[in-house]
Amino acid sequence: MPVLSMTNIQKSFGENHVLKDISLHVDQREVVSIIGPSGSGKSTLLRCATFLETIDAGEIAYMDQKAVQTVNGKAVYAKNLKPFRKDFGLVFQNFNLFPHRTVLKNVTDAPISVLHRDPKEVKALAEELLGKMGLADRAGAYPCELSGGQQQRVSIVRALAMQPKILFFDEPTSALDPELTGEVLKVIKQLAEEHMTMVIVTHEMAFARAVSDRVIFMDGGVIVEQGRPEDVFGDTQEERTKQFLRHYER
């Protein structure tokens, strides 16, 4: 059973047709990287998958339960999306931490207030995850006291604390310098080794090649090519994909 199914997704902003009949399915324990030029629709696809943007037509399902379906040519959303929101976590490129809350509060607030989990259990899980990410000594710190890499690791811990079935990463290293980028990519690679189901929008080609089960190349609002990393990077079929990858090999 796929964790996520997106079928025939259409999304426009005014006259700009950003997603053109995109279908994407992600299985349990699968790591999917989405690559492509800026403006190709990668981030919009993630925002649609996580209900931050509404689609115009198509279907979105988590664990075979439909959150969105098309009726008479228009997308109709389930009346209650809360159960679906529990299935995923999203890590933004700009961290989105609450500046006035400590690291521990940033991590524990949502599981306690949204999921109504036991505060002691949530705190224990948060401390365990922070330790795993090398942040055990930063639980009482505020975001402004952390480096960019530490802030991004906290945002990953915050997403994991919700115990989602799938994690989405929207260019998680784009706001970081090269040294901090390596630090965050190491954490995501560790999650991949632990078989966390993930969809990662990234410009880090070497990382996508190393960590993914499947790579999707998008351009112009469509999926141009997809397959195993060794096929997409090593035996590219589409000329547009070849042009894009040549840009990164310079």
Side-chain angles (χ1 to χ4, degrees):
M1 178 201 310
V3 177
L4 168 69
S5 297
M6 301 181 76
T7 310
N8 305 125
I9 303 297
Q10 306 268 355
K11 174 65 182 175
S12 295
F13 294 102
E15 297 297 310
N16 186 12
H17 200 175
V18 180
L19 300 177
K20 306 168 185 174
D21 198 31
I22 289 235
S23 293
L24 167 68
H25 305 276
V26 183
D27 291 327
Q28 285 177 312
R29 301 161 69 94
E30 188 177 25
V31 179
V32 177
S33 288
I34 304 177
I35 63 173
S38 296
S40 59
K42 307 183 301 296
S43 291
T44 300
L45 184 64
L46 249 59
R47 292 179 66 81
C48 289
T50 54
F51 313 136
L52 294 174
E53 298 285 357
T54 54
I55 62 172
D56 301 324
E59 291 187 352
I60 301 174
Y62 283 92
M63 308 302 291
D64 274 355
Q65 300 297 309
K66 286 183 183 175
V68 193
Q69 53 190 318
T70 295
V71 179
N72 297 326
K74 288 192 73 175
V76 177
Y77 281 71
K79 287 182 180 175
N80 184 12
L81 290 174
K82 200 170 180 181
F84 298 100
R85 294 185 194 278
K86 292 177 184 177
D87 287 335
F88 61 78
L90 175 60
V91 177
F92 299 90
Q93 50 187 289
N94 293 320
F95 324 136
N96 284 25
L97 298 174
F98 294 108
H100 58 289
R101 294 180 189 165
T102 64
V103 165
L104 190 62
K105 285 283 284 178
N106 264 283
V107 173
T108 58
D109 274 3
I112 293 168
S113 61
V114 177
L115 302 182
H116 308 296
R117 291 186 182 145
D118 178 76
K120 285 184 180 175
E121 289 180 12
V122 172
K123 184 171 182 283
L125 174 63
E127 288 172 345
E128 178 191 332
L129 290 169
L130 288 169
K132 188 173 160 184
M133 299 288 180
L135 295 165
D137 61 338
R138 310 303 283 155
Y142 288 86
C144 64
E145 299 172 314
L146 306 177
S147 70
Q150 287 173 326
Q151 289 186 61
Q152 191 60 294
R153 279 185 282 155
V154 171
S155 68
I156 293 171
V157 169
R158 181 178 60 182
L160 288 171
M162 298 291 282
Q163 298 181 308
K165 295 182 175 67
I166 183 171
L167 261 186
F168 295 98
F169 292 86
D170 185 11
E171 297 186 18
T173 60
S174 66
L176 304 175
D177 65 37
E179 187 176 357
L180 298 178
T181 291
E183 174 183 310
V184 171
L185 294 181
K186 184 179 176 184
V187 167
I188 300 173
K189 190 172 183 183
Q190 181 183 340
L191 292 173
E193 289 167 355
E194 294 169 4
H195 305 294
M196 182 76 207
T197 308
M198 295 186 283
V199 177
I200 307 162
V201 168
T202 183
H203 286 297
E204 302 288 337
M205 296 302 117
F207 171 72
R209 185 170 193 162
V211 81
S212 309
D213 297 301
R214 183 157 47 100
V215 174
I216 292 172
F217 172 66
M218 283 181 65
D219 189 30
V222 300
I223 292 175
V224 175
E225 186 167 356
Q226 65 177 306
R228 299 178 306 168
E230 56 266 38
D231 294 330
V232 172
F233 289 104
D235 188 24
T236 316
Q237 299 299 305
E238 299 292 331
E239 184 56 37
R240 181 64 189 96
T241 317
K242 289 177 183 174
Q243 290 173 0
F244 175 78
L245 293 176
R246 273 200 294 270
H247 170 74
Y248 276 93
E249 286 163 3
R250 283 175 193 162

